[in-house]
Amino acid sequence: MISHHPEARLWLLSTPGTSYAFQLDADDVPRHVHWGRPLTLEQAVVIAADLPAEDPGSDDAGGEEYVVEGGLRFGAPSLTVRFDDGVRGFEWRFLSHTVEGGRLTLSFADRVRSLGLDLHYRILDGHDQIERWAVLTADEPVDVLRFDSAAWTLPARDDYRVSHVVGEWGREFQLQRDRVPVGETVFTSRLGITGQHAGPWLMLDAHDATEEHGEVWSAALAWSGSRRITLRRDPYGRASWTGGFGHEGLVWKLVPGESLETPVFTGLYAPDGFGGASRRWHAYIERQVLPARPAERPLIFNSWEATEFDITEKQQAELAELAAGVGIEVFVVDDAWFGTRTSDMAGLGDWWPNPDRFPAGLGPLADRVRALGMGFGLWVEPEGVNPDSDLFRAHPDWILHQDGRTRTLRRNQHVLNFARRDVREWAVEWLVRTVTELDVVFLKWDMNRSFSEVGQPGAADPDRIWIEHTRGVYEVMDRLRAARPGLYLESCAGGGGRADLGVLARADQVWTSDNTDAADRIAIQHGHCQLLPARTMGAWVTDSPNSFTARPTSIRYRFHVSMAGAMGIGGDLRKWSEEDLAWARMLVEQYKRIRPVVHGGALYRLDHDAVQYLTEDEVVVFQFQPSALNRSVVRTRLKGLDPDARYRDVATGAVHEGAVLLGHGLPPLLSFDWTSELVHLRRVPR
């Protein structure tokens, strides 16, 4: 519900569990009032009247709902503009507000210049998230140096801590918690894509939150390109942050009559710890962000680790036979099926079957896969191109480049410019044709190249490419899905380099990491699920020893780790023993039984490397022990169960009291390296 108090010039946004309030001051500046536990409109007005007046001796205005450059403001702005005569900044003049359902729009104009700014807020039934974005409209030429989606202000606390994920290729989603220092901390990507090094979200607490207790404020940016989030703690102890697309050094030009809209930056307050925040994010992403489809993700086999670039039709058919035998639902042919692609040196961009490897095209293999009872899937990298390709030879101007500058190669490839209409039309044509002719049901969309020499010679607004490439990718994905509504799409960028709410509005899941080592995946998956739900987390069972780390682990352990997400198999099944294949068949059957709970239930992180999924009637718990040296005698207590209910162990038939599982828990694991346990419980009547 959205409420307005005209006399106080205050707006209150009320969700099922939170309230968010702000008001306009005498100079029409929007100022933050409250973000936290539920309030009435009258209570919000009382809080606003009690806020401290601006200190005339301070060098910081502070507490503003959206920070513009100008006046006594010296922190990071949300908006920085420069007019043709060199004048900078924005002075607020309130025009109007509108409320349509759960959407509030406040319209402002600069007091002197011909520039309009709309601030948008949206709340959704059943969720505590607040979606925010902004629209800038120019009636005179203006350079936009920074244009963020939203700024967020926290209540005053004695201390603050920030939680976020960091990493690199093969070590994505490493959860980090740090004290917020006085000054500015910038979380950015200049890669053109989301990047493995930092996720586009933050969680803050008062350094007192735990997994299930304490207040947590968070926000996630729905954007898959270059970005910047600036977290600030001022000398008086207040914490706030502002964020949006782009990074320092970029300038976007608006001409009269033109508008620029930001991506959505969604905020959430949770009173029940990091676990409560995660479950609220999972529910929001599942219901409001992801493409609408049943929760359960298909069980895939991917051929990459089995074959890499050494691919033939015969070999793929052999793998398909074995995959069908263990219960796989979709067989995905990875890299090297196209053009002259026998290594990463050539062929990228030539999206037709390699005539030497597939003399009759991919049709016979796809038909064989379907005859085995599986769907057919493919790997593609639409944004990449090798110089040694027919596409590049025909269209060398299609790549990101600048006149007079070296065209740097990385991974022997360049990035195609999806800001160009002709590039997007080319991509849509071959993608739709390929998935239609082959009846592809699962497409792995990879992107292995960060941006360099970013430009589009001759463009009037050259830096706009940083925005328009990402929007071009979104457009192609949207048109592909519209043409093939049943298609499952997986986002991949050298592993987990494009995992955000922007791409997940189009992709059903993300490839979490190229590192498939089950032991390493524990931490990777732990970080992924701080914000993103388990159903979005691609997780393969691969060979032992692992090809990435050379670490040997049991097949049971590898399966259990992968079962905690959207499981797939990526090992070379031709080399698996009969015993391993028998284990695989049994564990696949077990996964299919628990999949509705893992993909559709609420996730609880338990102590001692354990994770739990809960629906109304079923519970699934995975316990992991990475090392015998870390063995604990402490039992793993479950969460969220009905203490008055009884639960039967599906495997043993033993019946447990809910109160006992909550208070006393499950037995600890045996003292061996890389051990695991799966417990599946069903609620039974008394």
Side-chain angles (χ1 to χ4, degrees), residues 213-249:
H213 301 284
E215 295 180 301
V216 177
W217 294 263
S218 57
L221 183 66
W223 185 246
S224 308
S226 174
R227 70 177 184 283
R228 171 178 46 193
I229 300 172
T230 304
L231 171 63
R232 185 164 188 261
R233 185 174 181 179
D234 68 23
Y236 311 99
R238 299 171 298 196
S240 61
W241 69 92
T242 180
F245 53 16
H247 57 264
E248 74 287 343

Side-chain angles (χ1 to χ4, degrees), residues 43-316:
Q43 291 167 337
V45 171
V46 170
I47 292 174
D50 197 39
L51 290 176
E54 183 179 329
D55 182 358
S58 168
D59 282 337
D60 195 330
E64 295 186 0
E65 185 68 4
Y66 190 84
V67 186
V68 298
E69 183 184 32
L72 297 177
R73 301 179 180 92
F74 303 100
S78 307
L79 174 66
T80 302
V81 296
R82 180 181 59 217
F83 297 92
D84 274 2
D85 56 4
V87 172
R88 300 168 65 103
F90 185 88
E91 293 190 23
W92 297 95
R93 179 167 64 91
F94 178 63
L95 300 178
S96 64
H97 84 276
T98 59
V99 177
E100 297 181 10
R103 178 170 168 174
L104 167 66
T105 302
L106 280 81
S107 295
F108 300 87
D110 187 272
R111 288 187 179 275
V112 178
R113 309 304 292 252
S114 299
L115 189 65
L117 175 63
D118 290 347
L119 302 182
H120 295 270
Y121 299 75
R122 182 166 54 210
I123 55 178
L124 302 164
D125 290 344
H127 299 281
D128 287 325
Q129 277 80 2
I130 298 167
E131 297 179 342
R132 293 180 58 188
W133 69 100
V135 177
L136 195 65
T137 302
D139 283 326
E140 63 175 298
V142 63
D143 290 344
V144 181
L145 285 72
R146 179 166 185 165
F147 185 31
D148 285 353
S149 302
W152 304 92
T153 299
L154 265 62
R157 296 290 187 266
D158 291 334
D159 203 359
Y160 298 97
R161 176 176 54 175
V162 58
S163 300
H164 56 118
V165 288
V166 300
E168 59 184 330
W169 177 70
R171 208 174 64 88
E172 296 90 337
F173 301 106
Q174 303 298 303
L175 179 63
Q176 189 162 323
R177 292 200 165 114
D178 305 296
R179 184 173 182 268
V180 178
V182 173
E184 295 179 0
T185 305
V186 179
F187 304 84
T188 189
S189 170
R190 305 178 189 92
L191 304 177
I193 58 175
T194 317
Q196 291 100 332
H197 65 289
W201 60 266
L202 301 176
M203 293 186 182
L204 269 77
D205 72 298
H207 224 294
D208 58 0
T210 64
E211 186 63 25
E212 303 298 339
H213 301 284
E215 295 180 301
V216 177
W217 294 263
S218 57
L221 183 66
W223 185 246
S224 308
S226 174
R227 70 177 184 283
R228 171 178 46 193
I229 300 172
T230 304
L231 171 63
R232 185 164 188 261
R233 185 174 181 179
D234 68 23
Y236 311 99
R238 299 171 298 196
S240 61
W241 69 92
T242 180
F245 53 16
H247 57 264
E248 74 287 343
L250 300 182
V251 179
W252 303 312
K253 298 179 180 295
L254 292 184
V255 299
E258 188 179 11
S259 294
L260 182 61
E261 182 172 337
T262 72
V264 170
F265 200 9
T266 302
L268 170 70
Y269 165 79
D272 47 359
F274 298 111
S278 293
R279 286 186 289 278
R280 285 174 174 81
W281 277 115
H282 297 169
Y284 166 78
I285 292 167
E286 289 163 356
R287 299 168 195 164
Q288 303 296 337
V289 176
L290 289 168
R293 64 165 73 249
E296 296 177 43
R297 299 304 188 244
L299 173 60
I300 71 162
F301 176 89
N302 182 286
S303 66
W304 172 251
E305 289 206 17
T307 63
E308 296 195 358
F309 291 107
D310 183 19
I311 184 173
T312 67
E313 182 174 347
K314 179 177 181 295
Q315 158 225 82
Q316 295 293 301

Side-chain angles (χ1 to χ4, degrees), residues 29 41 54 108 187 215 228 278 323 352 367 387 427-428 445 455 464 476 572 577 625 640 668:
V29 177
L41 184 61
E54 183 179 329
F108 300 87
F187 304 84
E215 295 180 301
R228 171 178 46 193
S278 293
W352 53 82
D367 291 342
V428 169
W445 181 306
R464 190 72 71 92
V476 173
D572 190 348
S577 68
Q625 182 164 282

Side-chain angles (χ1 to χ4, degrees), residues 470-513:
T470 298
R471 287 182 169 163
V473 170
Y474 290 166
E475 178 191 320
V476 173
M477 288 182 171
D478 290 342
R479 291 172 64 184
L480 173 61
R481 295 199 69 130
R484 299 287 294 177
L487 180 71
Y488 278 88
L489 195 62
E490 181 177 70
S491 168
C492 176
R498 193 182 260 164
D500 57 77
L501 304 194
V503 78
L504 282 173
R506 297 148 176 95
D508 302 280
Q509 61 190 60
V510 299
W511 176 230
T512 321
S513 177

